[in-house]
């Protein structure tokens, strides 16, 4: 009898172990079987190419995909119509998987190896169609795993609009939507496979508007005061100021309205500025000086000026506890191998990038793990990373050598190269979430690390202040 019990126990233990093991493998296999469906979803979002806060169709498609998988949907969160949270499961840990789906203005491009517009107002030059879809796929795969193993835990997909300049996640953090989250996972399309402790710059952006007096530019110029003079004077002062700011800072602008006709003194002009640095206190300081140049420009040109804060994000605070797990999982999943047809496309793209030929090794390899990665972009994931232990990765969705925000990125992101790498990201996110669900210690360690890194006196102050979401910033 005793022997029988022991045997039964061993058999049960063995079976349970077996089930857990197969289940993880099964979940990944299921992801593979769904890759055509996910490719179709990403392709649709690539086609919609909706800009920040206008992502109605993209957001609805991802919501439907998650609702069909029994996720509970809360839409229109944080006062943003295209933001939503999809949730499955109960209790802790609560795992957030972030997804984006906004496109960039002016970068319409066909999925071909030469520059050719699709005739739209925007394009997915940052690959957010892949970002949103892979994160959705991962959330569903994690749900499958929770269900199959009857595990306690919650998986949430955060539908985050307007990453490109709109700082969508900042409003979601400000609203407290991450308060009960234990860890957050994200990824980003790239030209390489990496899961190192990535960095990102804090930023502040604003539109400066100058108001003058219109008059006939030749017949009565003395009656006019040019709003464009205000913009140009501000730009000149800022360009002189560049010599007297910390080296690593970045300032860039576009004139979004410079008047309509040379023979009319413009009574309105607008310039849109970004300031970035890897420390938010430096960004705040430079932005205050930028404001002085705008005030000085208005004073000197006899115009008036006001400004609207558009975006503001914290620098990224990578969580090394989670990041190392992410790297190990990416290594398990592997890089991106190309078919002959993809190689041909990649070779043609490489030539447009000034390279001799496509470097397959770069697409295949996983970049070595480092805790000192540098990056000069910004992301509103920064604000999430100060609220919750956060880790991310990137996969080679673009031909090696391709820069984000280029036509080559839109092109490759619309081909099987982008979709393959997207599935690699989905798998890596899934495995990492499963690791966290399997090891409660990870959450504890990750939280301790966050508290230590933030510093004891940390309080969250959004860099964009108390403004409402800039829902019309792309109009
Ligand atoms: Zn971008
Ligand atoms: Zn992006």
């Amino acid at each position: 009898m005793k022997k029988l019990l022991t045997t039964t126990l061993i058999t049960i233990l063995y079976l349970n172990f077996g089930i857990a093991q197969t289940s993880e493998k099964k979940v990944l296999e299921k992801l593979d079987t769904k890759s055509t469906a996910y490719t179709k979803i990403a392709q649709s979002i690539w086609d919609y190419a909706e800009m920040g806060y206008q992502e109605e169709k993209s957001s609805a498609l991802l919501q439907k995909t998650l609702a069909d998988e029994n996720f509970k949907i809360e839409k229109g969160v944080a006062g943003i119509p295209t933001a939503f949270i999809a949730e499955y499961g109960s209790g802790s840990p609560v795992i957030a998987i972030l997804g984006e789906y906004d496109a960039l203005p002016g970068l319409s491009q066909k999925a071909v190896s030469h520059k050719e517009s699709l005739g739209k107002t925007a394009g997915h030059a940052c690959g957010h169609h892949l970002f949103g879809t892979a994160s959705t796929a991962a959330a569903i795969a994690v749900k499958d795993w929770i269900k199959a193993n009857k595990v306690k835990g919650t998986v949430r997909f955060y539908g985050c609009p307007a990453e490109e300049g709109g700082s969508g996640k900042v409003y979601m953090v400000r609203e407290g939507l991450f308060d009960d989250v234990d860890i957050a996972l994200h990824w980003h399309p790239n030209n390489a496979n990496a899961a190192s402790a990535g960095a990102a710059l804090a930023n502040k952006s604003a539109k400066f508007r100058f108001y003058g007096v219109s008059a006939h530019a030749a017949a009565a110029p003395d009656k006019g005061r040019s709003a464009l003079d205000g913009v140009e004077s501000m730009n000149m002062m800022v360009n002189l100021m560049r010599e007297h700011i910390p080296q690593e800072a970045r300032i860039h602008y576009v004139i979004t309205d410079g008047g309509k006709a040379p023979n009319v003194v413009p009574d309105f002009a607008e310039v849109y500025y970004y300031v970035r640095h890897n420390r938010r206190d430096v960004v705040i300081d430079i932005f205050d000086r930028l404001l002085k140049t705008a005030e000085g420009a208005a004073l000197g040109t006899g115009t008036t000026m006001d400004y609207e804060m558009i975006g503001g994000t914290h620098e990224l605070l990578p969580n090394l506890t989670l990041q190392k797990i992410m790297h190990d999982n990416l290594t398990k999943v592997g890089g991106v191998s190309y078919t002959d047809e993809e190689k041909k496309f990649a070779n043609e793209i490489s030539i447009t990038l000034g390279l001799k030929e496509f470097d397959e090794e770069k697409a295949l390899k996983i970049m070595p793990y480092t805790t000192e990665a540098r990056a000069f972009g910004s992301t509103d994931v920064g604000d999430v990373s100060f609220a919750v232990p956060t880790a991310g990765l990137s996969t080679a969705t673009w031909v090696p050598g391709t820069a984000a925000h280029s036509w080559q990125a839109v092109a490759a992101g619309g081909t099987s190269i982008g979709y393959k790498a997207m599935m690699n990201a989905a798998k890596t996110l899934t495995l990492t979430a499963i690791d966290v669900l399997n090891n409660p210690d990870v959450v504890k360690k990750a939280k301790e690390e966050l508290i230590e890194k933030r510093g004891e006196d940390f309080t969250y102050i959004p860099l964009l202040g108390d403004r409402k979401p800039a829902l019309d910033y792309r109009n």
Side-chain angles (χ1 to χ4, degrees):
M1 183 68 182
K2 202 179 167 196
K3 192 170 174 243
L4 187 67
L5 263 179
T6 317
T7 319
T8 316
L9 197 65
I10 288 168
T11 314
I12 289 169
L13 278 173
Y14 176 77
L15 275 177
N16 272 341
F17 181 70
I19 286 165
Q21 290 301 303
T22 346
S23 207
E24 185 174 310
K25 204 172 142 241
K26 260 193 187 162
V27 165
L28 291 188
E29 277 168 8
K30 200 164 172 194
L31 263 173
D32 273 331
T33 63
K34 286 181 168 181
S35 75
T36 311
Y38 288 129
T39 295
K40 244 179 102 187
I41 291 168
Q43 179 78 62
S44 298
I45 299 174
W46 186 88
D47 271 331
Y48 300 151
E50 296 170 299
M51 290 185 280
Y53 296 131
Q54 301 170 6
E55 317 95 328
E56 281 144 29
K57 288 190 254 175
S58 309
S59 172
L61 178 57
L62 295 180
Q63 284 179 43
K64 189 188 176 305
T65 307
L66 288 150
D68 287 349
E69 294 280 349
N70 297 320
F71 276 75
K72 196 178 79 205
I73 312 283
E74 196 189 340
K75 57 181 174 183
V77 296
I80 303 169
T82 53
F84 71 98
I85 297 174
E87 181 182 289
Y88 181 89
S90 63
S92 57
V94 179
I95 297 173
I97 303 177
L98 312 178
E100 298 172 4
Y101 31 79
D102 60 320
L104 278 154
L107 276 153
S108 184
Q109 166 67 32
K110 290 184 182 173
V112 294
S113 58
H114 61 273
K115 193 172 189 293
E116 189 181 345
S117 172
L118 201 58
K120 304 205 174 206
T121 51
H124 272 291
C126 215
H128 294 180
H129 62 303
L130 306 170
F131 189 161
T133 308
S135 296
T136 297
I140 292 168
V142 175
K143 177 219 72 170
D144 288 343
W145 190 85
I146 288 177
K147 205 175 157 189
N149 293 284
K150 299 186 177 63
V151 168
K152 203 172 90 124
T154 307
V155 59
R156 278 191 204 147
F157 173 88
Y158 278 68
C160 308
E163 188 280 329
E164 297 289 356
S167 305
K169 294 179 199 70
V170 177
Y171 302 103
M172 297 168 85
V173 173
R174 195 176 73 181
E175 192 87 355
L177 299 180
F178 287 90
D179 286 358
D180 65 341
V181 172
D182 289 300
I183 65 143
L185 305 177
H186 68 111
W187 77 285
H188 203 284
N190 205 337
N191 58 20
N193 310 290
S196 284
L201 306 182
N203 89 352
K204 269 184 97 154
S205 64
K207 289 180 178 174
F208 294 86
R209 298 177 180 127
F210 289 81
Y211 306 88
V213 179
S214 34
H216 194 293
D222 54 308
K223 299 275 193 299
R225 294 292 179 270
S226 169
L228 180 61
D229 285 358
V231 164
E232 290 195 87
S233 304
M234 176 182 179
N235 293 350
M236 196 194 67
M237 278 189 267
V238 173
N239 288 333
L240 291 172
M241 196 175 89
R242 289 181 196 278
E243 199 181 355
H244 311 289
I245 56 171
Q247 292 228 51
E248 303 294 311
R250 294 281 188 278
I251 305 178
H252 19 270
Y253 62 83
V254 286
I255 298 175
T256 37
D257 194 338
K260 303 287 181 276
N263 62 345
V264 180
V265 174
D267 64 353
F268 179 75
E270 184 186 80
V271 61
Y272 185 5
Y273 265 96
Y274 270 41
V275 177
R276 316 194 206 219
H277 190 270
N278 61 8
R279 274 176 38 199
R280 63 190 180 284
D281 57 328
V282 176
V283 169
I284 291 166
D285 180 58
I286 295 174
F287 187 85
D288 288 347
R289 290 169 67 192
L290 205 72
L291 198 50
K292 293 278 177 237
T293 68
E295 287 165 357
L299 187 68
T301 56
T303 57
T304 57
M305 180 279 301
D306 59 29
Y307 72 99
E308 182 186 2
M309 284 304 309
I310 298 294
T313 62
H314 279 49
E315 62 271 27
L316 191 66
L317 193 64
N319 193 284
L320 301 185
T321 308
L322 297 174
Q323 205 58 61
K324 186 69 177 59
I325 298 171
M326 189 77 95
H327 173 79
D328 292 345
N329 285 323
L330 176 62
T331 309
K332 259 189 235 172
V333 171
V336 186
S337 63
Y338 284 48
T339 61
D340 286 345
E341 199 189 337
E342 288 162 351
K343 277 181 198 164
K344 185 176 169 282
F345 173 89
N347 269 324
E348 287 161 5
I349 287 278
S350 298
I351 289 162
T352 72
L353 297 168
L355 303 167
K356 259 203 204 131
E357 58 178 3
F358 161 57
D359 185 347
E360 194 179 4
E361 264 307 294
K362 280 193 178 156
L364 275 171
K365 90 172 194 197
I366 310 295
M367 302 295 281
Y369 182 75
T370 157
T371 54
E372 280 163 37
R374 279 158 61 97
F376 289 97
S378 302
T379 169
D380 53 10
V381 176
D383 290 56
V384 177
S385 74
F386 274 83
V388 180
T390 301
L393 81 145
S394 60
T395 62
T397 57
W398 306 324
V399 176
T402 301
H405 298 194
S406 63
W407 69 260
Q408 291 93 338
V410 189
T415 71
S416 52
I417 295 169
Y419 301 129
K420 257 190 227 177
M422 168 183 89
M423 293 313 293
N424 286 358
K427 286 179 185 174
T428 309
L429 292 168
T430 303
L431 291 177
T432 305
I434 290 175
D435 279 344
V436 171
L437 285 161
N438 271 336
N439 305 294
D441 271 4
V442 169
V443 173
K444 193 171 161 272
K445 241 183 103 188
K447 280 186 178 171
E448 282 166 4
E449 185 189 328
L450 172 67
I451 288 163
E452 196 198 316
K453 278 194 178 153
R454 274 193 320 206
E456 267 177 16
D457 51 355
F458 172 80
T459 36
Y460 177 63
I461 303 168
L463 267 72
L464 48 70
D466 58 2
R467 72 150 299 149
K468 285 193 174 138
L471 299 178
D472 62 350
Y473 84 115
R474 289 292 192 215
N475 291 353

